[in-house]
């Protein structure tokens, strides 16, 4: 089993920034498409963005211009930089990895998931 670990969450004021990281203890993350999802209390998990195996990146419209996904191949990690955070961004953020073909927004295309890291945006 591939074990993914997210880090970098925390409490931040509106307008602040955080950088989340996703790492695989087996150091194989470079071989996967990696996505970020988030889940607010009482809501379904929501796709946020992804980086392909060829390092193309995509984020949903609501975070375009604020969130950036990047891959650090030297370290086998993927990062989600979040700027200008809003209270609506409050959620548990998960990274997920997989190589199945299909719409990148589908949860079932990702075989491996981390435990999640809490992001809270509040004054």
């Amino acid at each position: 089993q591939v074990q993914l670990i997210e880090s970098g969450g925390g409490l931040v004021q509106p307008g602040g920034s955080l950088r989340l990281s996703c790492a695989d203890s087996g150091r194989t993350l470079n071989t996967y498409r990696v996505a970020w999802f988030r889940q607010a209390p009482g809501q379904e998990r929501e796709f946020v963005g992804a980086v392909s195996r060829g390092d193309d990146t995509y984020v949903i419209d609501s975070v375009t211009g604020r969130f950036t996904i990047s891959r650090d191949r030297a370290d086998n990690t993927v990062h989600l930089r979040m700027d200008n955070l809003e209270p609506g961004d409050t959620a548990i953020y998960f990274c997920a990895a997989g190589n199945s073909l299909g719409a990148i927004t589908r949860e079932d295309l990702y075989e491996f998931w981390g435990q999640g890291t809490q992001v809270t945006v509040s004054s």
Side-chain angles (χ1 to χ4, degrees):
Q1 277 282 97
V2 174
Q3 299 291 331
L4 302 181
I5 302 173
E6 304 95 339
S7 62
L11 174 65
V12 65
Q13 295 184 2
S17 298
L18 287 172
R19 191 181 76 152
L20 307 184
S21 298
C22 178
D24 167 26
S25 61
R27 306 300 184 187
T28 62
L29 207 56
N30 286 349
T31 67
Y32 291 94
R33 178 201 306 121
V34 178
W36 289 93
F37 292 81
R38 63 185 181 184
Q39 187 169 26
Q43 300 183 210
E44 294 186 357
R45 204 145 48 194
E46 174 190 27
F47 175 83
V48 177
V51 55
S52 73
R53 294 175 66 184
D55 295 344
D56 295 320
T57 60
Y58 169 80
V59 296
I60 59 175
D61 288 346
S62 62
V63 303
T64 296
R66 299 191 298 121
F67 290 13
T68 303
I69 293 175
S70 62
R71 187 195 296 276
D72 183 350
R73 289 191 168 273
D75 202 35
N76 268 283
T77 57
V78 170
H79 306 282
L80 177 65
R81 190 188 74 208
M82 304 182 294
D83 296 319
N84 302 122
L85 282 161
E86 304 168 354
D89 297 318
T90 295
I92 301 174
Y93 283 71
F94 301 87
C95 65
N99 285 324
S100 297
L101 296 177
I104 61 173
T105 60
R106 290 180 53 153
E107 294 183 26
D108 61 359
L109 264 62
Y110 299 93
E111 302 102 304
F112 310 110
W113 292 77
Q115 297 295 316
T117 185
Q118 177 71 50
V119 171
T120 302
V121 185
S122 176
S123 298

